Amino acid sequence: MKKMLTYALLIVFSLLFIAPLFWAVTTALKSQQELYLFPPKWIPSVWKFSNFAEAWNSQPFNLFLKNTVIITALSTLGQLISCTLVAYGFARFQFKGRDFLFLVVLATMMIPWEVTMIPQYMEFNYLGWINTLKPLIVPSWFGSAYYIFLLRQFILTLPRELDEAATIDGASKVTVLFWIIVPLMGPSLILVAVFQVMSCWNDYLGPLIFLNDQTKYTLTLGLSQFKGMYGVDMQSIMAITCLISIPPLAIFFFAQRYIVGGIATTGIKG
Amino acid sequence: MAQTYLHNAREQTAALKPLRKRRWGGAAPYLFIFPWIFGFVVFTLGPLLFSLIISFFDWPIVGKVTFIGFDNYIEMFTDDPMFWTSLFVTLKFAALFVPLNIIIALGLAMLLNQKVRGSAIFRTAFYLPSVISGVALAMIWSWVYSGDYGILNYFLSLFGIQGPDWLNDTKWSLVAMVVASLWGQGSMMLIFLAGLKGIPKDLYESASIDGAGKIRQFFSVTIPMITPTILFNLITSIIAAFQQLTLALLLTGGGPLKSTYFYAMYMYENAFKYFKMGYSAANAWFMFLIVLVLTFLVFKSSEAWVFYEGEMKKNSRDERKSKKGGQAG
């Protein structure tokens, strides 16, 4: 009896979480006539796959896709390289001020982005970077607190004897990092890459603030543009919504194990 | 390669001890953490201080910069009704969002923590909306909430209820915003789930031997044991509530009648619509102060309600460590 109740609740909540997504997909496939029916139809009688192409071509989404891919790829690469170096520095060396600096790393996670947003905007404006992709890429090459924390925790679990043996054999610190430590960091590097790809791909406020020319837009900005456009139908909006949600959903399905584990680590810290 | 090193290492460690000290230190560590130091100064500390400075200036994006002392702050409190409106909206939002978020996330985590078949599938279903972009989420909810064609009002009509035009009704717009925000909060649920899984089973066993029922166990074992996780989630929820912007921009634009005009949106408009950089920086610092005070109060109060029993905590940590070790090996 108790088991039944548990299952019932699990199913009801699953439906609550999935129904809006499901409805978005079926709306994207509806024809004009079926869109504004009440009561609404869950399953369209004719599946109009052409909606996707129409919606995609109604704005330069190929260009938006290109911009998004460039930003995502370069900033993820930057995070992986910079956070690995920094995490290794914090995990494997003893130096003056290390613990204090690491505390500062953690503290930066608490600073609301609104406080630094305006000076950053002015900084990038001064550098002439507004309306280029640089503000969305360059900061990623200087590490990010949460990822540094995750990678440092992981490096700490690797036996120090590995480094020491290699050092005895004459390997430099850099060699140790790239030939001994990095090959063992696979899972945690995947986790950082997954988190960064997703947050970059889904980012809206960054592009909104730093980009103003349509040729520089990202996918999320393109989608949000529909909001104010006259005569755009809901099925186009839902078609783009579905299309741009495919990559993060796909990544989630393939990397679920890492993601769930990674988020759990966040809580343990607390 | 790693394998050989590990093998050699075991034999060499003993001989290494004196070497270890000499090899540490020097400039090397600072070179490794240099990217972060540079980024911190240029993208965090610098902007943080600069935003404090410009909050004392009349600083338009183009034009003359004038030092005006505390005038921005004075204007905010005495001469700007939008400041109070947005602050009030945000506090109302936080008052609804924070407790609901904690309760729902904990409830869902407890459901997932039951021994049922396919719990991984349910976990995926619960977490799915958290994966997509805030823009996609806003688009989906604007359609769900549509007064005439929305699925929500259709659902209500099955029970004979005539639903309102959610996003255009001042009575409901903020509630609608809370619900849409809650929908994408799966990570908090996962954090709770990890916390629940960390509670040693024997605690429940001894509780039930002592005759404690399920409800008693919930209040005397589960809740005390996850209070550290509740504390963490409470603080992140408060910060999230004050930063809510994407949904407001896309779902309602702050309307109707400013009923969803969040503080973050007020700041955003001052900066990027009216280009009053100094004034907006003052807004930002005031918000930072509120968040800091709230966080401080939560931390202060946590001494009374967060349960860190030394012994027990150590035990569970050891257990976790040995688990981790097992996975790595």
Side-chain angles (χ1 to χ4, degrees), chain A residues 7 94 96 120 164 202, chain B residues 20 24 30 43 117 131:
Chain A
Y7 275 113
Q94 203 128 54
K96 241 197 168 136
Q120 274 191 22
E164 280 156 1
N202 289 338
Chain B
R20 208 180 256 178
W24 288 9
Y30 297 102
F43 300 118
R117 233 174 273 185
V131 172

Side-chain angles (χ1 to χ4, degrees), chain B residues 75-304:
Chain B
E75 183 187 340
M76 215 160 97
F77 289 113
T78 57
D79 201 22
D80 189 353
M82 277 308 114
F83 166 76
W84 293 107
T85 309
S86 63
L87 186 62
F88 191 56
V89 165
T90 303
L91 289 176
K92 232 163 56 179
F93 176 81
L96 286 169
F97 172 78
V98 174
L100 278 174
N101 194 18
I102 302 270
I103 292 167
I104 292 173
L106 179 57
L108 293 175
M110 289 187 57
L111 265 178
L112 290 175
N113 200 32
Q114 305 294 317
K115 277 206 182 62
V116 288
R117 233 174 273 185
S119 65
I121 295 170
F122 291 117
R123 189 187 63 198
T124 306
F126 290 1
Y127 190 71
L128 224 45
S130 311
V131 172
I132 64 173
S133 160
V135 183
L137 194 148
M139 293 301 173
I140 292 173
W141 279 91
S142 71
W143 185 220
V144 167
Y145 281 140
S146 158
D148 294 331
Y149 313 107
I151 206 77
L152 180 60
N153 280 353
Y154 165 66
F155 186 71
L156 290 175
S157 74
L158 296 180
F159 299 94
I161 300 168
Q162 168 77 52
D165 188 358
W166 297 93
L167 296 171
N168 291 315
D169 186 324
T170 48
K171 276 205 295 290
W172 291 103
S173 52
L174 195 67
V175 176
M177 213 64 105
V178 170
V179 172
S181 313
L182 290 171
W183 193 61
Q185 287 293 321
S187 22
M188 205 147 284
M189 170 192 81
L190 293 184
I191 293 171
F192 270 130
L193 186 58
L196 290 173
K197 287 204 194 297
I199 303 175
K201 293 273 173 303
D202 48 336
L203 284 182
Y204 289 106
E205 278 159 27
S206 41
S208 73
I209 290 169
D210 288 350
K214 284 283 172 207
I215 293 170
R216 186 70 203 278
Q217 284 181 25
F218 173 72
F219 285 107
S220 318
V221 179
T222 311
I223 290 286
M225 289 303 287
I226 56 161
T227 44
T229 318
I230 295 180
L231 175 66
F232 176 80
N233 282 345
L234 190 59
I235 290 170
T236 24
S237 294
I238 291 172
I239 295 177
F242 273 88
Q243 302 194 351
Q244 183 56 268
L245 177 57
T246 305
L247 276 185
L249 283 175
L250 291 169
L251 274 180
T252 59
L257 295 174
K258 304 282 175 195
S259 60
T260 57
Y261 193 63
F262 287 99
Y263 193 79
M265 191 166 176
Y266 163 73
M267 258 170 53
Y268 172 83
E269 288 197 344
N270 280 337
F272 299 109
K273 201 168 157 191
Y274 308 122
F275 297 109
K276 298 195 280 187
M277 294 308 189
Y279 191 57
S280 183
N283 300 156
W285 268 90
F286 180 70
M287 190 203 80
F288 194 21
L289 202 70
I290 295 184
V291 171
L292 281 183
V293 168
L294 284 176
T295 312
F296 176 76
L297 289 179
V298 170
F299 260 115
K300 253 315 193 210
S301 77
S302 74
E303 284 161 19

